[in-house]
Amino acid sequence: MRSFPGAGARPFFAATGFCVLFLAGFFCAGCGYRVVGKTTNLPSDWKTIAVPAFTNDTTQYRIEQRFTEAVIREFIARTKYRVVQDTQTADAVLHGEVLSIETNPVLFDAKTGEVTTMLVTVHAKVQLTDGKSQKAVYQSDDMVFRDEYQISPDVKSFFQEEDPALGRMTQDFASHVVANVLEGF
């Protein structure tokens, strides 16, 4: 029996070639998923969206400004729409309202009984209307967002965490609002 040099390597190269072809076909075939926020159910002729200041139905000072600013930043960052101030000339108008903010203790120190963690819950509603027909294109009457923040028992190292928690919540809210508006959920 005659042996050729490299004959033992032939099955290895065939298996490797098959794996490479399989993986290339797998990645090229696609799986039907798409990136959120890249497609939209909004009218294609819209170019501008106005986002007037949200209404604040709470006692939390300037919370409506934080929510409005976060939504505007998210629209600018994730969409092709130009955000404008004039609601009369905009193709669409997004109205928002902060309905309530609740803070509730979640965790307590076992030794002292003092609160160590608070839960902030915000209820809001939004409505996107067509600028010409004034008809609602998207509406959500109760969007709920929650975030926790820690309360330090040590007065020397005390740092108010409520403000950063609200900041995280406004970003989360803005991301959900823009995604929901674009996708029509």
Side-chain angles (χ1 to χ4, degrees):
M1 182 184 280
R2 191 164 177 204
S3 170
F4 294 102
R10 195 175 223 165
F12 172 76
F13 287 122
T16 303
F18 175 74
C19 287
V20 169
L21 286 175
F22 175 76
L23 289 175
F26 177 76
F27 287 114
C28 291
C31 56
Y33 289 103
R34 60 187 173 1
V35 178
V36 173
K38 297 298 182 188
T39 62
T40 181
N41 291 326
L42 301 179
S44 61
D45 61 333
W46 283 5
K47 305 287 185 243
T48 59
I49 293 180
V51 184
F54 282 25
T55 304
N56 185 359
D57 294 343
T58 73
T59 58
Q60 182 76 27
Y61 181 65
R62 298 177 68 180
I63 190 68
E64 77 283 0
Q65 292 177 0
R66 295 182 76 171
F67 276 78
T68 305
E69 290 168 1
V71 169
I72 289 171
R73 278 194 306 272
E74 194 72 15
F75 265 111
I76 290 170
R78 289 186 49 193
T79 70
K80 63 181 172 81
Y81 302 108
R82 193 167 44 94
V83 178
V84 297
Q85 291 182 355
D86 187 10
T87 59
Q88 301 299 322
T89 61
D91 296 320
V93 180
L94 181 77
H95 294 281
E97 187 175 349
V98 182
L99 301 171
S100 67
I101 296 180
E102 303 162 1
T103 54
N104 297 306
V106 177
L107 294 175
F108 298 88
D109 185 301
K111 294 178 184 173
T112 64
E114 294 177 349
V115 176
T116 59
T117 304
M118 295 290 286
L119 177 68
V120 179
T121 305
V122 176
H123 292 262
K125 70 178 184 178
V126 294
Q127 181 181 42
L128 181 71
T129 58
D130 187 307
K132 294 174 187 153
S133 69
Q134 300 300 312
K135 290 185 180 179
V137 176
Y138 171 79
Q139 183 169 339
S140 178
D141 290 330
D142 192 19
M143 300 181 83
V144 180
F145 292 89
R146 294 180 177 89
D147 201 1
E148 294 180 356
Y149 67 93
Q150 305 294 316
I151 298 175
S152 175
D154 183 15
V155 175
K156 293 178 185 175
S157 66
F158 179 77
F159 176 73
Q160 181 64 296
E161 183 62 28
E162 182 180 9
D163 196 50
L166 286 173
R168 290 188 302 269
M169 199 176 317
T170 59
Q171 285 305 116
D172 189 32
F173 172 81
S175 177
H176 279 83
V177 166
V178 171
N180 289 352
V181 164
L182 293 176
E183 298 293 326
F185 291 115

